[in-house]
Amino acid sequence: MSESNPVSFSTGFKWLLGLASLVVILGALKIAEAVVVPMLLAVFIAIICAPPLAWMTSHRVPPWLAIMLLVFVLMIFSWVLVLFVGSAIDTFTLRLPTYQARLQDEAVKLLPYLERLGLPVTREQLLNHFNPGSVMRLAGNALTNLGGLLTDLMLIVFVVIFLLLEATLLGDKLHKALPNAEHSLNQAGDFVRKVNKYLVIKTTVSLATGCLITLWLWILGVDFAPLWGLVAALMNFIPNVGSIIAAVPAILLSVVQLGLGDAALVAAGYIAVNVLMGNVLEPRYMGSGLGLSPLVVFLSLMVWGWLFGPAGMFLSIPLTMIAKIALEQNPSTRWVAIMLGN
Protein backbone atom coordinates (compact mmCIF):
# COMPACT_ATOMS: atom_id res chain seq x y z
CA MET A 1 0.00 0.00 0.00
CA SER A 2 2.80 2.40 0.87
CA GLU A 3 4.42 1.92 -2.54
CA SER A 4 1.23 2.90 -4.38
CA ASN A 5 0.78 6.23 -2.60
CA PRO A 6 3.61 8.11 -4.35
CA VAL A 7 2.35 6.89 -7.75
CA SER A 8 -1.23 8.04 -7.10
CA PHE A 9 0.03 11.35 -5.69
CA SER A 10 2.23 11.88 -8.73
CA THR A 11 -0.66 11.15 -11.15
CA GLY A 12 -3.03 13.45 -9.27
CA PHE A 13 -0.41 16.18 -9.15
CA LYS A 14 0.11 15.93 -12.91
CA TRP A 15 -3.62 16.27 -13.55
CA LEU A 16 -3.85 19.22 -11.16
CA LEU A 17 -0.85 20.89 -12.80
CA GLY A 18 -2.36 20.34 -16.26
CA LEU A 19 -5.70 21.81 -15.15
CA ALA A 20 -3.99 24.85 -13.61
CA SER A 21 -1.98 25.37 -16.81
CA LEU A 22 -5.17 25.17 -18.89
CA VAL A 23 -6.85 27.81 -16.70
CA VAL A 24 -3.83 30.12 -17.06
CA ILE A 25 -3.77 29.66 -20.84
CA LEU A 26 -7.52 30.35 -21.17
CA GLY A 27 -7.17 33.47 -19.01
CA ALA A 28 -4.31 34.72 -21.17
CA LEU A 29 -6.34 34.09 -24.34
CA LYS A 30 -9.28 36.00 -22.85
CA ILE A 31 -7.06 39.00 -22.08
CA ALA A 32 -5.45 38.92 -25.55
CA GLU A 33 -8.78 38.54 -27.40
CA ALA A 34 -8.24 41.62 -29.59
CA VAL A 35 -5.02 40.15 -30.99
CA VAL A 36 -5.80 36.42 -30.92
CA VAL A 37 -9.08 36.51 -32.90
CA PRO A 38 -7.63 38.23 -36.03
CA MET A 39 -4.61 35.90 -35.82
CA LEU A 40 -6.82 32.80 -35.71
CA LEU A 41 -8.90 34.03 -38.65
CA ALA A 42 -5.70 34.71 -40.58
CA VAL A 43 -4.44 31.18 -39.88
CA PHE A 44 -7.72 29.68 -41.12
CA ILE A 45 -7.63 31.77 -44.29
CA ALA A 46 -3.98 30.83 -44.89
CA ILE A 47 -4.80 27.12 -44.53
CA ILE A 48 -7.67 27.47 -47.02
CA CYS A 49 -5.34 29.33 -49.42
CA ALA A 50 -2.67 26.61 -49.18
CA PRO A 51 -4.09 24.28 -51.91
CA PRO A 52 -4.29 26.96 -54.64
CA LEU A 53 -0.83 28.18 -53.61
CA ALA A 54 0.58 24.65 -53.89
CA TRP A 55 -1.17 24.15 -57.24
CA MET A 56 0.30 27.35 -58.69
CA THR A 57 3.82 26.63 -57.44
CA SER A 58 3.63 23.07 -58.83
CA HIS A 59 2.84 24.60 -62.25
CA ARG A 60 6.06 26.64 -62.17
CA VAL A 61 4.52 29.87 -60.95
CA PRO A 62 7.09 31.66 -58.73
CA PRO A 63 6.04 31.58 -55.05
CA TRP A 64 6.08 35.38 -54.74
CA LEU A 65 3.83 35.76 -57.79
CA ALA A 66 1.43 33.04 -56.57
CA ILE A 67 1.15 34.77 -53.19
CA MET A 68 0.57 38.15 -54.84
CA LEU A 69 -2.24 36.69 -56.97
CA LEU A 70 -3.89 35.14 -53.92
CA VAL A 71 -3.54 38.35 -51.93
CA PHE A 72 -5.03 40.38 -54.80
CA VAL A 73 -8.08 38.10 -54.87
CA LEU A 74 -8.38 38.26 -51.07
CA MET A 75 -8.19 42.07 -51.00
CA ILE A 76 -10.81 42.48 -53.74
CA PHE A 77 -13.10 40.01 -51.96
CA SER A 78 -12.53 41.74 -48.59
CA TRP A 79 -13.22 45.18 -50.06
CA VAL A 80 -16.48 44.06 -51.70
CA LEU A 81 -17.57 42.22 -48.54
CA VAL A 82 -16.90 45.19 -46.25
CA LEU A 83 -18.79 47.60 -48.53
CA PHE A 84 -21.74 45.25 -48.95
CA VAL A 85 -22.07 44.20 -45.30
CA GLY A 86 -21.55 47.74 -44.01
CA SER A 87 -24.27 49.15 -46.29
CA ALA A 88 -26.71 46.33 -45.51
CA ILE A 89 -26.19 46.61 -41.74
CA ASP A 90 -26.72 50.40 -41.82
CA THR A 91 -29.98 50.03 -43.76
CA PHE A 92 -31.21 47.18 -41.55
CA THR A 93 -30.43 49.18 -38.40
CA LEU A 94 -32.44 52.14 -39.71
CA ARG A 95 -35.45 49.93 -40.44
CA LEU A 96 -35.15 47.92 -37.20
CA PRO A 97 -37.66 50.02 -35.14
CA THR A 98 -40.27 49.57 -37.88
CA TYR A 99 -39.68 45.82 -37.99
CA GLN A 100 -39.92 45.58 -34.19
CA ALA A 101 -43.23 47.49 -34.11
CA ARG A 102 -44.73 45.27 -36.84
CA LEU A 103 -43.60 42.11 -35.06
CA GLN A 104 -45.26 43.28 -31.86
CA ASP A 105 -48.48 43.88 -33.80
CA GLU A 106 -48.30 40.38 -35.25
CA ALA A 107 -47.73 38.95 -31.76
CA VAL A 108 -50.79 40.79 -30.40
CA LYS A 109 -52.91 39.12 -33.10
CA LEU A 110 -52.29 35.82 -31.30
CA LEU A 111 -54.35 36.93 -28.26
CA PRO A 112 -57.79 35.76 -29.58
CA TYR A 113 -56.34 32.33 -30.45
CA LEU A 114 -54.83 32.01 -26.96
CA GLU A 115 -58.20 32.88 -25.39
CA ARG A 116 -59.93 30.16 -27.42
CA LEU A 117 -57.40 27.69 -26.08
CA GLY A 118 -58.27 28.70 -22.53
CA LEU A 119 -55.15 30.80 -22.00
CA PRO A 120 -56.32 34.31 -21.10
CA VAL A 121 -53.25 36.50 -21.59
CA THR A 122 -53.12 40.29 -21.63
CA ARG A 123 -51.23 42.30 -24.22
CA GLU A 124 -48.66 43.41 -21.62
CA GLN A 125 -48.05 39.86 -20.44
CA LEU A 126 -47.57 38.62 -23.98
CA LEU A 127 -45.10 41.34 -24.90
CA ASN A 128 -43.19 40.95 -21.61
CA HIS A 129 -42.75 37.17 -21.89
CA PHE A 130 -42.82 36.72 -25.67
CA ASN A 131 -41.56 39.73 -27.56
CA PRO A 132 -40.23 38.81 -31.03
CA GLY A 133 -39.07 42.40 -31.44
CA SER A 134 -36.28 41.68 -28.94
CA VAL A 135 -35.07 38.87 -31.22
CA MET A 136 -34.77 41.34 -34.07
CA ARG A 137 -32.82 43.67 -31.78
CA LEU A 138 -30.45 40.81 -30.93
CA ALA A 139 -30.04 40.14 -34.64
CA GLY A 140 -29.19 43.79 -35.18
CA ASN A 141 -26.56 43.69 -32.42
CA ALA A 142 -25.06 40.51 -33.88
CA LEU A 143 -24.82 42.10 -37.33
CA THR A 144 -23.13 45.15 -35.80
CA ASN A 145 -20.55 42.84 -34.18
CA LEU A 146 -20.05 41.18 -37.56
CA GLY A 147 -19.40 44.57 -39.13
CA GLY A 148 -16.86 45.35 -36.40
CA LEU A 149 -15.09 42.07 -37.09
CA LEU A 150 -14.90 42.83 -40.81
CA THR A 151 -13.07 46.09 -40.08
CA ASP A 152 -10.08 43.94 -39.07
CA LEU A 153 -9.99 42.34 -42.53
CA MET A 154 -7.05 44.43 -43.76
CA LEU A 155 -4.96 43.39 -40.74
CA ILE A 156 -6.00 39.78 -41.32
CA VAL A 157 -4.99 39.96 -45.00
CA PHE A 158 -1.52 41.27 -44.09
CA VAL A 159 -1.05 38.45 -41.58
CA VAL A 160 -2.13 35.95 -44.26
CA ILE A 161 0.55 37.34 -46.60
CA PHE A 162 3.33 36.70 -44.08
CA LEU A 163 1.93 33.27 -43.17
CA LEU A 164 1.94 32.21 -46.83
CA LEU A 165 5.47 33.55 -47.29
CA GLU A 166 6.58 31.59 -44.21
CA ALA A 167 4.84 28.43 -45.48
CA THR A 168 6.99 28.42 -48.63
CA LEU A 169 10.16 28.42 -46.49
CA LEU A 170 9.04 26.18 -43.61
CA GLY A 171 10.22 22.91 -45.15
CA ASP A 172 13.79 24.15 -45.68
CA LYS A 173 13.90 25.64 -42.18
CA LEU A 174 12.80 22.39 -40.54
CA HIS A 175 15.37 20.37 -42.52
CA LYS A 176 18.12 22.62 -41.18
CA ALA A 177 16.78 22.99 -37.63
CA LEU A 178 15.76 19.43 -36.72
CA PRO A 179 17.95 16.32 -36.68
CA ASN A 180 15.01 14.05 -37.60
CA ALA A 181 13.30 16.52 -39.91
CA GLU A 182 11.75 13.95 -42.27
CA HIS A 183 9.70 12.32 -39.50
CA SER A 184 8.61 15.69 -38.13
CA LEU A 185 7.63 16.90 -41.60
CA ASN A 186 5.59 13.76 -42.24
CA GLN A 187 3.70 14.20 -38.96
CA ALA A 188 3.15 17.91 -39.58
CA GLY A 189 2.12 17.24 -43.17
CA ASP A 190 -0.47 14.66 -42.10
CA PHE A 191 -1.89 17.09 -39.53
CA VAL A 192 -2.03 20.00 -42.01
CA ARG A 193 -3.69 17.81 -44.68
CA LYS A 194 -6.47 16.77 -42.30
CA VAL A 195 -7.02 20.32 -41.07
CA ASN A 196 -6.96 21.60 -44.64
CA LYS A 197 -9.47 18.96 -45.75
CA TYR A 198 -11.85 19.90 -42.94
CA LEU A 199 -11.62 23.67 -43.47
CA VAL A 200 -11.83 23.54 -47.28
CA ILE A 201 -14.85 21.20 -47.31
CA LYS A 202 -16.59 23.10 -44.51
CA THR A 203 -15.97 26.44 -46.21
CA THR A 204 -17.19 25.14 -49.58
CA VAL A 205 -20.36 23.68 -48.05
CA SER A 206 -20.97 26.88 -46.09
CA LEU A 207 -20.60 29.06 -49.20
CA ALA A 208 -22.99 26.78 -51.11
CA THR A 209 -25.45 26.99 -48.20
CA GLY A 210 -25.26 30.79 -48.21
CA CYS A 211 -25.79 30.97 -51.99
CA LEU A 212 -28.83 28.67 -51.88
CA ILE A 213 -30.39 30.58 -48.97
CA THR A 214 -29.77 33.89 -50.76
CA LEU A 215 -31.38 32.58 -53.96
CA TRP A 216 -34.42 31.20 -52.11
CA LEU A 217 -35.00 34.42 -50.12
CA TRP A 218 -34.51 36.53 -53.25
CA ILE A 219 -37.13 34.47 -55.11
CA LEU A 220 -39.58 34.98 -52.22
CA GLY A 221 -38.78 38.71 -52.06
CA VAL A 222 -37.39 38.89 -48.51
CA ASP A 223 -35.42 42.07 -47.73
CA PHE A 224 -31.62 41.80 -47.36
CA ALA A 225 -31.49 38.30 -48.92
CA PRO A 226 -27.68 38.41 -49.53
CA LEU A 227 -27.11 39.47 -45.91
CA TRP A 228 -29.13 36.54 -44.55
CA GLY A 229 -27.25 34.26 -46.96
CA LEU A 230 -23.96 35.50 -45.51
CA VAL A 231 -25.25 34.88 -41.98
CA ALA A 232 -26.34 31.36 -43.00
CA ALA A 233 -22.87 30.68 -44.47
CA LEU A 234 -21.12 31.81 -41.27
CA MET A 235 -23.53 29.96 -38.96
CA ASN A 236 -23.05 26.77 -40.98
CA PHE A 237 -19.68 26.42 -39.23
CA ILE A 238 -21.68 25.73 -36.04
CA PRO A 239 -23.33 22.28 -36.31
CA ASN A 240 -26.84 21.56 -35.01
CA VAL A 241 -27.71 25.01 -33.65
CA GLY A 242 -26.07 27.30 -36.20
CA SER A 243 -28.72 26.80 -38.88
CA ILE A 244 -31.48 27.53 -36.34
CA ILE A 245 -29.80 30.75 -35.19
CA ALA A 246 -29.36 31.86 -38.83
CA ALA A 247 -32.99 31.13 -39.75
CA VAL A 248 -34.75 32.98 -36.89
CA PRO A 249 -34.21 36.64 -37.98
CA ALA A 250 -34.98 35.90 -41.64
CA ILE A 251 -38.21 34.07 -40.72
CA LEU A 252 -39.32 36.87 -38.37
CA LEU A 253 -38.57 39.46 -41.07
CA SER A 254 -40.61 37.47 -43.60
CA VAL A 255 -43.54 37.39 -41.12
CA VAL A 256 -43.45 41.20 -40.99
CA GLN A 257 -42.86 41.75 -44.68
CA LEU A 258 -44.73 38.93 -46.43
CA GLY A 259 -47.05 37.21 -43.95
CA LEU A 260 -47.25 33.82 -42.26
CA GLY A 261 -47.66 31.81 -45.47
CA ASP A 262 -44.45 33.05 -47.06
CA ALA A 263 -42.68 32.83 -43.68
CA ALA A 264 -43.53 29.11 -43.66
CA LEU A 265 -41.95 28.84 -47.14
CA VAL A 266 -38.82 30.62 -45.85
CA ALA A 267 -38.60 28.14 -42.95
CA ALA A 268 -39.12 25.21 -45.34
CA GLY A 269 -36.30 26.50 -47.54
CA TYR A 270 -33.92 26.73 -44.59
CA ILE A 271 -34.82 23.19 -43.51
CA ALA A 272 -34.39 21.77 -47.03
CA VAL A 273 -31.02 23.46 -47.64
CA ASN A 274 -29.58 22.46 -44.26
CA VAL A 275 -30.79 18.85 -44.57
CA LEU A 276 -29.25 18.63 -48.05
CA MET A 277 -25.94 20.19 -47.04
CA GLY A 278 -25.58 18.96 -43.46
CA ASN A 279 -26.96 15.43 -43.77
CA VAL A 280 -26.23 14.48 -47.39
CA LEU A 281 -23.34 16.35 -49.04
CA GLU A 282 -21.11 17.26 -46.09
CA PRO A 283 -20.92 13.74 -44.52
CA ARG A 284 -20.27 12.27 -47.97
CA TYR A 285 -17.17 14.39 -48.61
CA MET A 286 -16.06 14.97 -45.02
CA GLY A 287 -15.96 11.33 -43.97
CA SER A 288 -16.97 9.75 -40.68
CA GLY A 289 -13.75 10.65 -38.88
CA LEU A 290 -14.22 14.41 -39.01
CA GLY A 291 -17.11 14.99 -36.62
CA LEU A 292 -17.84 16.07 -33.05
CA SER A 293 -20.39 14.81 -30.56
CA PRO A 294 -23.36 17.15 -29.87
CA LEU A 295 -22.23 17.59 -26.24
CA VAL A 296 -18.75 18.69 -27.35
CA VAL A 297 -20.32 21.10 -29.86
CA PHE A 298 -22.43 22.69 -27.11
CA LEU A 299 -19.54 22.92 -24.62
CA SER A 300 -17.16 24.34 -27.22
CA LEU A 301 -19.73 27.02 -28.09
CA MET A 302 -19.90 27.98 -24.41
CA VAL A 303 -16.12 28.00 -23.82
CA TRP A 304 -14.99 29.71 -27.03
CA GLY A 305 -17.96 32.10 -26.93
CA TRP A 306 -16.98 33.14 -23.41
CA LEU A 307 -13.36 33.59 -24.49
CA PHE A 308 -13.83 35.51 -27.74
CA GLY A 309 -17.49 36.64 -27.80
CA PRO A 310 -19.51 36.22 -31.05
CA ALA A 311 -16.31 35.61 -33.04
CA GLY A 312 -15.50 32.79 -30.62
CA MET A 313 -18.81 31.07 -31.39
CA PHE A 314 -17.97 31.21 -35.09
CA LEU A 315 -14.45 29.89 -34.45
CA SER A 316 -15.47 27.34 -31.80
CA ILE A 317 -16.06 24.29 -33.99
CA PRO A 318 -13.03 24.77 -36.30
CA LEU A 319 -10.80 25.27 -33.23
CA THR A 320 -12.19 22.19 -31.47
CA MET A 321 -11.91 20.19 -34.69
CA ILE A 322 -8.26 21.18 -35.10
CA ALA A 323 -7.60 20.19 -31.46
CA LYS A 324 -9.24 16.80 -32.14
CA ILE A 325 -7.09 16.24 -35.24
CA ALA A 326 -3.96 17.18 -33.27
CA LEU A 327 -4.87 14.74 -30.48
CA GLU A 328 -5.31 11.95 -33.05
CA GLN A 329 -1.66 12.28 -34.14
CA ASN A 330 -0.28 11.01 -30.81
CA PRO A 331 -1.14 7.46 -29.61
CA SER A 332 -1.13 8.61 -25.97
CA THR A 333 -3.84 11.24 -26.60
CA ARG A 334 -5.86 9.41 -29.26
CA TRP A 335 -8.40 8.32 -26.67
CA VAL A 336 -9.27 11.97 -26.02
CA ALA A 337 -9.92 12.49 -29.75
CA ILE A 338 -12.20 9.43 -29.75
CA MET A 339 -14.17 10.85 -26.80
CA LEU A 340 -14.59 14.17 -28.68
CA GLY A 341 -15.83 12.46 -31.84
CA ASN A 342 -19.34 11.56 -32.91
Side-chain angles (χ1 to χ4, degrees), residues 37-186:
V37 171
M39 285 291 297
L40 289 174
L41 287 172
V43 170
F44 289 160
I45 294 172
I47 292 174
I48 294 169
C49 291
L53 177 63
W55 182 85
M56 284 189 284
T57 53
S58 66
H59 286 74
R60 298 183 180 179
V61 178
W64 66 269
L65 180 58
I67 292 172
M68 291 301 296
L69 290 173
L70 282 173
V71 169
F72 177 75
V73 173
L74 282 175
M75 293 192 71
I76 294 296
F77 176 76
S78 303
W79 179 70
V80 172
L81 189 62
V82 168
L83 286 181
F84 160 70
V85 174
S87 174
I89 289 174
D90 290 341
T91 308
F92 179 77
T93 304
L94 289 174
R95 297 184 188 179
L96 188 57
T98 305
Y99 291 148
Q100 286 180 283
R102 290 183 183 176
L103 273 175
Q104 288 182 355
D105 293 339
E106 293 292 332
V108 170
K109 292 179 182 178
L110 296 174
L111 289 174
Y113 299 101
L114 293 176
E115 289 180 2
R116 291 175 194 170
L117 294 173
L119 300 171
V121 180
T122 65
R123 183 180 188 276
E124 290 72 20
Q125 289 174 330
L126 178 65
L127 294 180
N128 285 336
H129 297 283
F130 176 70
N131 187 357
S134 61
V135 179
M136 294 298 289
R137 187 168 60 253
L138 288 174
N141 293 336
L143 291 174
T144 303
N145 290 329
L146 173 62
L149 183 63
L150 290 177
T151 57
D152 294 330
L153 269 179
M154 295 308 297
L155 171 63
I156 293 171
V157 168
F158 278 111
V159 176
V160 169
I161 295 173
F162 290 110
L163 285 173
L164 293 176
L165 285 171
E166 190 67 23
T168 60
L169 304 173
L170 185 60
D172 294 336
K173 285 186 176 182
L174 286 177
H175 274 295
K176 293 179 180 179
L178 299 177
N180 192 12
E182 200 64 36
H183 177 68
S184 301
L185 282 173
N186 288 336

Side-chain angles (χ1 to χ4, degrees), residues 244-260:
I244 299 173
I245 296 172
V248 169
I251 293 172
L252 290 178
L253 179 59
S254 61
V255 170
V256 170
Q257 185 188 349
L258 305 173
L260 289 174

Side-chain angles (χ1 to χ4, degrees), residues 290-310:
L290 292 177
L292 296 171
S293 74
L295 177 62
V296 172
V297 170
F298 180 72
L299 292 177
S300 63
L301 282 173
M302 290 179 59
V303 173
W304 294 111
W306 170 75
L307 279 175
F308 301 138

